[in-house]
Amino acid sequence: MSVMTRLQSQYERPTVAVHKFSSCDGCQLAFLNLGETLIKLTELVDIVHFVEAGANQPERAVDIAFVEGSISTPEEAERIKAVRQNSRYLIAIGACAIAGGIQALRNGQDVPAWTRAVYQHPEAIESLATATSLAQHVRVDFELQGCPINSFQLLSAIRALLFGVEPPRDQDKLCAECKRSGKACVMVTQQLPCMGAVTRTGCGVLCPHQSRDCYACYGPAENVNTQALIQQFQLLGVSPSVISQRFALFNNQSPAFARATQEAKNL
């Protein structure tokens, strides 16, 4: 977003919508987890569509549309176009909306065969051959990374837009935040295949603080060296199949992780 428009007005509150596509609803919970702060937020914005909170006006034109989930069905492919047309700013929230999410693991597989295996009446299921990000269908103005995102990200983005500035983009790697917090590296001390060297910060170093390795919930950071991390995993004795699985999780359709997944498979 190169040009931002101040949304906050003395006379009327900007309108906000929260839309769901193929997803687990986890990113929408970031709104509900605000608790009392969500009530205070409604003094600044008018939430006109958010089904989980009771507001149901999906076709209403809004200033800000937060969209969770990937595009996985023909109906969703059409609906996201309507959301884009009715939104001043469209913000993709979470790994599903930004990089396909867990459901994109089906891409390249025999989807009809899976459907027949799972559903008693597969003829009732309409599904696209792939699960894709919002940006592959419409213009996205901003992205909030995470699986799921956190409430602080939401508040920061809304506050920035209200005052006509671009929401902050945290591009630090998780490793940097680990060092700032004084946490010992789990890859060094426990020989764990941690993804922190290529993952964007934002989670508060949740897994390393529990002496667990990072699973890249927040997606790739800027200028990541996935080849170096693959080589380090090999030195730890991690098999190529497990390495590829590490990159092919929540953000498997992000370009950097998709390439790394294929590189690991070719080892």
Side-chain angles (χ1 to χ4, degrees):
M1 269 183 294
S2 58
V3 179
M4 303 294 299
T5 304
R6 183 185 177 96
L7 297 181
Q8 195 170 41
S9 168
Q10 180 180 355
Y11 305 103
E12 61 182 26
R13 291 172 297 171
T15 49
V16 172
V18 183
H19 294 274
K20 169 185 166 58
F21 287 75
S22 292
S23 62
C24 70
D25 292 15
C27 291
Q28 292 181 83
L29 290 177
F31 278 92
L32 300 179
N33 288 340
L34 288 170
E36 292 184 4
T37 303
L38 180 59
I39 299 175
K40 294 180 180 179
L41 180 62
T42 59
E43 298 175 1
L44 299 176
V45 300
D46 185 11
I47 301 177
V48 300
H49 177 70
F50 185 11
V51 175
E52 284 203 7
N56 190 8
Q57 300 182 67
E59 298 179 357
R60 174 82 175 270
V62 296
D63 292 301
I64 309 172
F66 290 97
V67 184
E68 174 193 82
S70 65
I71 306 302
S72 301
T73 69
E75 180 273 336
E76 289 179 336
E78 292 303 314
R79 181 157 54 94
I80 190 59
K81 296 176 184 177
V83 172
R84 172 69 273 182
Q85 185 175 359
N86 291 331
S87 307
R88 195 172 184 180
Y89 297 118
L90 191 154
I91 300 181
I93 56 175
C96 294
I98 296 170
I102 291 293
Q103 55 269 29
L105 291 172
R106 76 172 195 230
N107 294 0
Q109 307 299 318
D110 188 346
V111 175
W114 285 13
T115 304
R116 290 192 298 270
V118 173
Y119 297 97
Q120 184 176 5
H121 298 287
E123 69 277 3
I125 304 299
E126 286 190 288
S127 179
L128 296 173
T130 58
T132 49
S133 67
L134 303 184
Q136 290 180 250
H137 298 265
V138 297
R139 187 185 81 256
V140 172
D141 296 302
F142 193 73
E143 298 176 341
L144 298 182
Q145 299 277 355
C147 187
I149 62 170
N150 63 61
S151 301
F152 175 77
Q153 289 173 284
L154 284 172
L155 291 178
S156 296
I158 293 174
R159 180 175 57 187
L161 288 171
L162 287 177
F163 289 97
V165 298
E166 185 172 332
R169 299 174 185 267
D170 195 342
Q171 299 288 1
D172 269 359
K173 296 177 177 64
L174 190 75
C175 279
E177 189 173 354
C178 258
K179 290 180 173 60
R180 286 194 295 266
S181 66
K183 176 64 183 177
C185 177
V186 296
M187 186 181 295
V188 174
T189 61
Q190 300 182 55
Q191 308 296 295
L192 295 176
C194 183
M195 294 285 288
V198 297
T199 300
R200 183 191 310 259
T201 189
C203 65
V205 198
L206 182 62
C207 289
H209 274 313
Q210 302 301 319
S211 297
R212 297 180 58 187
D213 41 325
C214 168
Y215 279 79
C217 299
Y218 274 67
E222 277 189 325
N223 302 320
V224 293
N225 189 341
T226 56
Q227 289 183 331
L229 186 61
I230 289 173
Q231 292 173 1
Q232 185 61 39
F233 284 172
Q234 288 182 288
L235 291 175
L236 294 178
V238 183
S239 68
S241 62
V242 172
I243 295 174
S244 67
Q245 290 169 9
R246 280 299 173 118
F247 287 97
L249 279 175
F250 312 101
N251 295 274
N252 57 82
Q253 295 302 300
S254 63
F257 283 6
R259 288 193 299 269
T261 299
Q262 192 58 48
E263 289 171 2
K265 288 181 178 179
N266 293 334
L267 291 176

